[in-house]
Amino acid sequence: MPKDLLTGSEGLVGSAIKRHSSKERDLVCVTKKQVDLTDFSATVKMMEDLRPERVFHAAAAVGGLGGNMRHPGELFRKNILINFNVLEAARVTGVKRVLSYLSTCIFPDKVEYPMKETSLHEGPPHPSNFGYAHAKRMIDIQSRAYRMEYGCDFITAVGTNLFGLNDNFNLLDGHALPSLIHKTYLAKRDGKDLTVWGSGKPLREFVFADDIARLSLWAMDEYHEETPLMFSHGEETSIRELVELIAKKMNFQGKIIFDDSKADGQYRKPSDVSKLKKFQPDFKFTSLEKAIEQTTKWFTASYPNIRM
Ligand code: GFB
């Protein structure tokens, strides 16, 4: 049976790919406890031992707004090493296909909206994402440079604000949606107010990780272009609307406070989804309400055995 390798299999996107992987393929999952992807010799040895035909590269060092602002150096260093090592080890061991993940937060802060895949390098990213964004942009450069010189059929997909099961629910370093689910759970349990960072005005495209997994399996089979592909429905939701939806789904009746002393980060980063629609006109994204319902139910049932 043809073998696929999945990096980051315990993470948000990786665990979703595992849930959706096809029975016709042998999906081998490696976790950071098994292989240190920041170490090239360990990475290439793993690829030589496994000899996968294709790699879903979902491993990354990720922070939300808080984490990114506090650790620009660490996020740059770890992601540059992980990404270079995985793509170079894949190349030298003859892996046919690598699908890697970019993110809308790495796009230029001042760019024509909605953002097109081709505008990735047309200006600096928002300062809050400085280290992470520059490291992640190099996946696009490495994938395209390897395609030019070595004919590597490596592709990249752009995630927006992804969420779902097995997310990082850390209250300081997590992304907005999982951190807010965690905060709402604690505020309800302890009868406290729910404090939200910033004004609540920023807009984000929240996409369910299971939808990214389904699109990833399709792209690995069918997408062969050098330019990244936006994996999003293109619908924006304000942080305020998000919090109200989470509170409703978790039946939180307490007070919701917006703490203006905390950063808003980028105001919005809408993605142009016309290219995905051309390839996948009938793809149905999970509704935000249904996805949040599944995620909050999973969180409440799993707590405290969650990543936090
Ligand atoms: O997902 P997030 O942390 O990062 O969203 P970005 C930040 C937005 O949510 C800001 C508001 O407007 C915050 O003010 N927010 C409100 C909160 N309450 C909270 C909270 O409790 N925690 C957090 N984290 N935010 C991310 C990048 O940028 O975009 C990631 O940091 C990733 O690396 C992701 O690429 C796609 O959306 O600003």
Side-chain angles (χ1 to χ4, degrees):
M1 197 190 295
K3 189 186 289 182
D4 289 342
L5 167 68
L6 170 63
T7 69
S9 59
E10 289 180 328
L12 176 62
V13 173
S15 57
I17 288 175
K18 218 160 64 177
R19 279 197 297 279
H20 290 266
S21 61
S22 112
K23 304 284 167 280
E24 280 85 64
R25 298 195 67 95
D26 172 17
L27 183 72
V28 180
C29 302
V30 289
T31 64
K32 61 180 160 198
K33 288 189 280 299
Q34 292 160 320
V35 185
D36 175 3
L37 297 175
T38 63
D39 173 336
F40 181 65
S41 50
T43 307
V44 74
K45 182 174 179 327
M46 176 264 292
M47 294 257 191
E48 278 164 353
D49 293 349
L50 292 174
R51 289 278 167 201
E53 201 180 279
R54 313 183 310 180
V55 176
F56 291 92
H57 174 34
V62 180
L65 177 65
N68 274 327
M69 285 163 60
R70 294 212 310 276
H71 304 294
E74 263 308 88
L75 289 170
F76 178 82
R77 184 182 70 81
K78 283 185 178 160
N79 286 301
I80 278 280
L81 287 172
I82 289 169
N83 297 328
F84 175 79
N85 291 343
V86 169
L87 269 63
E88 176 61 0
R91 180 185 74 84
V92 298
T93 58
V95 170
K96 284 209 194 79
R97 299 273 277 151
V98 178
L99 167 58
S100 305
Y101 295 89
L102 309 178
S103 160
T104 44
C105 83
I106 73 173
F107 277 67
D109 184 34
K110 306 260 179 301
V111 73
E112 189 197 330
Y113 286 155
M115 297 184 293
K116 291 191 177 328
E117 291 92 350
T118 47
S119 61
L120 176 58
H121 302 282
E122 288 173 5
H126 188 272
S128 62
N129 292 312
F130 182 75
Y132 177 80
H134 282 101
K136 275 282 197 177
R137 287 185 181 192
M138 288 306 114
I139 299 184
D140 170 57
I141 300 295
Q142 191 175 358
S143 297
R144 284 161 47 196
Y146 280 21
R147 180 181 293 272
M148 285 177 216
E149 178 164 355
Y150 309 115
C152 296
D153 190 7
F154 293 176
I155 57 174
T156 55
V158 186
T160 57
N161 284 63
L162 310 182
F163 70 96
L165 283 50
N166 295 311
D167 204 342
N168 171 8
F169 292 86
N170 183 287
L171 295 173
L172 278 183
D173 290 344
H175 287 140
L177 197 149
S179 299
L180 288 165
I181 286 177
H182 191 174
K183 280 182 178 177
T184 305
Y185 178 87
L186 297 175
K188 185 177 175 195
R189 183 194 66 181
D190 306 337
K192 296 240 176 73
D193 296 343
L194 168 58
T195 305
V196 182
W197 296 352
S199 66
K201 294 196 183 82
L203 299 166
R204 295 291 186 268
E205 289 173 22
F206 294 106
V207 175
F208 197 33
D210 288 68
D211 294 340
I212 298 298
R214 293 190 290 129
L215 284 169
S216 298
L217 294 167
W218 159 78
M220 187 64 102
D221 288 338
E222 308 294 340
Y223 185 71
H224 296 273
E225 296 189 9
E226 69 162 8
T227 41
L229 187 56
M230 291 285 184
F231 277 4
S232 179
H233 40 59
E235 286 147 40
E236 292 180 289
T237 302
S238 76
I239 298 298
R240 176 180 289 277
E241 288 162 327
L242 174 73
V243 171
E244 286 162 0
L245 194 47
I246 290 171
K248 181 177 127 194
K249 290 297 167 189
M250 298 183 85
N251 194 20
F252 173 71
Q253 322 264 337
K255 202 159 159 240
I256 299 175
I257 297 166
F258 288 87
D259 175 0
D260 276 323
S261 72
K262 288 281 187 334
D264 265 348
Q266 274 173 280
Y267 174 57
R268 60 190 292 243
K269 33 183 179 172
S271 57
D272 178 334
V273 297
S274 51
K275 191 170 171 189
L276 177 64
K277 284 206 160 91
K278 193 182 74 178
F279 282 100
Q280 280 276 26
D282 306 323
F283 184 83
K284 294 274 173 291
F285 283 90
T286 310
S287 74
L288 183 60
E289 177 146 9
K290 195 153 163 273
I292 288 181
E293 187 164 327
Q294 287 183 45
T295 307
T296 51
K297 280 205 172 105
W298 174 87
F299 180 91
T300 307
S302 313
Y303 191 85
N305 305 316
I306 49 151
R307 277 197 301 154
M308 57 176 163

